[in-house]
Amino acid sequence: MMKAIATDKAPKAVGPYSQAVQVGDLLFCSGMIALDPNSGQMIGKDVQSQTKQVMSNIGNLLESQGLDFSKIVKTTVFLQDMADFVTFNEIYASNLKAPYPARSTVEAAALPKGALVEIECIVSLK
């Protein structure tokens, strides 16, 4: 059975999707971009500020379920420009501790609302 998860501390879904869904012992989080949860506006014009906001949004969603970054088992990262990888990676890593989640990182030609970074994740509830 699938259960929709939502919090007002992360950006609202702007289409036919949930912020996250729980299936069994896993939480599947939709891709997050650097939207301010209150205004719905994009935060920052560079990958550094946008990555900080994305990680904050993910952290807030996890916290709403009594979880933290240590429960993430897999992320998929979309970068508008792979040249931003080093900067992105420093901020991403600063939010995590070993053992790190598995990760895929791909360059995307375009992301929603002109975002420079989008991250989706799978989280263990155990």
Side-chain angles (χ1 to χ4, degrees):
M1 174 172 270
M2 185 169 69
K3 174 184 170 187
I5 304 296
T7 178
D8 59 0
K9 299 202 184 284
K12 292 175 179 51
V14 293
Y17 65 93
S18 300
Q19 287 175 328
V21 294
Q22 178 183 344
V23 178
D25 291 332
L26 294 174
L27 188 68
F28 296 86
C29 301
S30 293
M32 293 270 182
I33 59 175
L35 296 179
D36 177 271
N38 298 315
S39 70
Q41 298 299 308
M42 187 70 71
I43 300 292
K45 296 182 187 230
D46 57 67
V47 76
Q48 182 176 14
S49 57
Q50 287 194 16
T51 302
K52 287 179 182 176
Q53 184 64 41
V54 171
M55 295 304 285
S56 175
N57 290 343
I58 292 170
N60 289 341
L61 179 61
L62 295 174
E63 186 178 288
S64 78
Q65 301 304 301
L67 304 167
D68 61 34
F69 288 107
S70 71
K71 294 297 193 174
I72 296 175
V73 295
K74 169 73 168 80
T75 62
T76 304
V77 177
F78 304 92
L79 292 175
Q80 191 271 329
D81 186 346
M82 198 57 83
D84 289 330
F85 181 81
V86 172
T87 302
F88 156 79
N89 205 45
E90 289 173 1
I91 297 160
Y92 174 88
S94 72
N95 289 275
L96 303 168
K97 297 178 189 167
Y100 299 106
R103 179 178 81 187
S104 301
T105 304
V106 296
E107 182 177 85
L111 295 171
K113 296 190 176 256
L116 302 176
V117 60
E118 180 174 2
I119 303 172
E120 65 181 31
C121 58
I122 301 171
V123 181
S124 174
L125 300 176
K126 284 189 170 184

